[in-house]
Amino acid sequence: GPQSAALAPPPTSTAVVAVAVVAATAYLAAKINKVQTAVDGIATIVNQQDQRGYLSEARNYMGALSAARELLNSGAPAREIAPAAQQSAVDLARMRHQMLVFVARLPAIVQDPTTGAPQYAQAVSFMAEMLHTIPSGLWLERELCLVANQPGLGQSRREQGTTQFKGALADFKRWCDGQYRDLAEGKGGHAEVLRVQRPSLKALFE
């Protein structure tokens, strides 16, 4: 799948394998739709915390991922799309960093006592969906670098991006574990939300 593809060694050829790209980017299209829905869901809570810039960036990141998909699926020769691929890879890397910063800040926002269960559920869903999407974004970054004839940069993006992603995933898991622990110890929380979300979070962490 695209998650394993993002963590796998890069191909030796700079040519894009069309079948793999189409399959992986079809998967990514579904993830993009889920993240866009989740972004809309957290708009009210994030606006309260004056974090609107990150929301815009989240929408921009989904748009950039869609544009990268289209570029790789265009069937055009690599020499024609190399400049666009190079710029797209730069944009995706910048936005990926921003999204992981946003995901890291959201737990503090949603733990505000005024946050209701619906907003809490949307925030947890957003964080999970974004983290589900990042490996596919990394895979796109690497493919774009290969099209731009920058295999060394593609390898670096894969290694550094994977390390960054794993750190963010571990932080999110620690936060979720803490939420479950607080719930078990009777310290409050949104019990039903956590119960409903548990299967999807388990799939993410595994």
Side-chain angles (χ1 to χ4, degrees), residues 145-170:
C145 287
L146 293 177
V147 170
N149 198 25
Q150 297 178 315
L153 182 60
Q155 171 76 354
S156 172
R157 286 280 173 78
R158 183 186 72 85
E159 293 172 353
Q160 294 179 13
T162 297
T163 298
Q164 182 194 39
F165 166 74
K166 286 182 175 178
L169 188 63

Side-chain angles (χ1 to χ4, degrees), residues 106-193:
L106 264 179
I109 295 174
V110 299
Q111 284 175 231
D112 187 286
T114 62
T115 301
Q119 290 85 6
Y120 180 90
Q122 290 285 4
V124 173
S125 177
F126 171 83
M127 289 184 278
E129 291 297 347
M130 182 59 75
L131 289 170
H132 263 300
T133 304
I134 291 289
S136 296
L138 279 169
W139 180 84
L140 278 179
E141 287 181 43
R142 189 197 68 193
E143 292 299 315
L144 290 164
C145 287
L146 293 177
V147 170
N149 198 25
Q150 297 178 315
L153 182 60
Q155 171 76 354
S156 172
R157 286 280 173 78
R158 183 186 72 85
E159 293 172 353
Q160 294 179 13
T162 297
T163 298
Q164 182 194 39
F165 166 74
K166 286 182 175 178
L169 188 63
D171 288 344
F172 181 55
K173 185 177 187 302
R174 275 192 292 272
W175 179 74
C176 288
D177 289 344
Q179 295 290 285
Y180 286 117
R181 190 165 54 248
D182 287 351
L183 193 61
E185 294 173 359
K187 295 179 181 177
H190 299 287
E192 184 61 19
V193 171

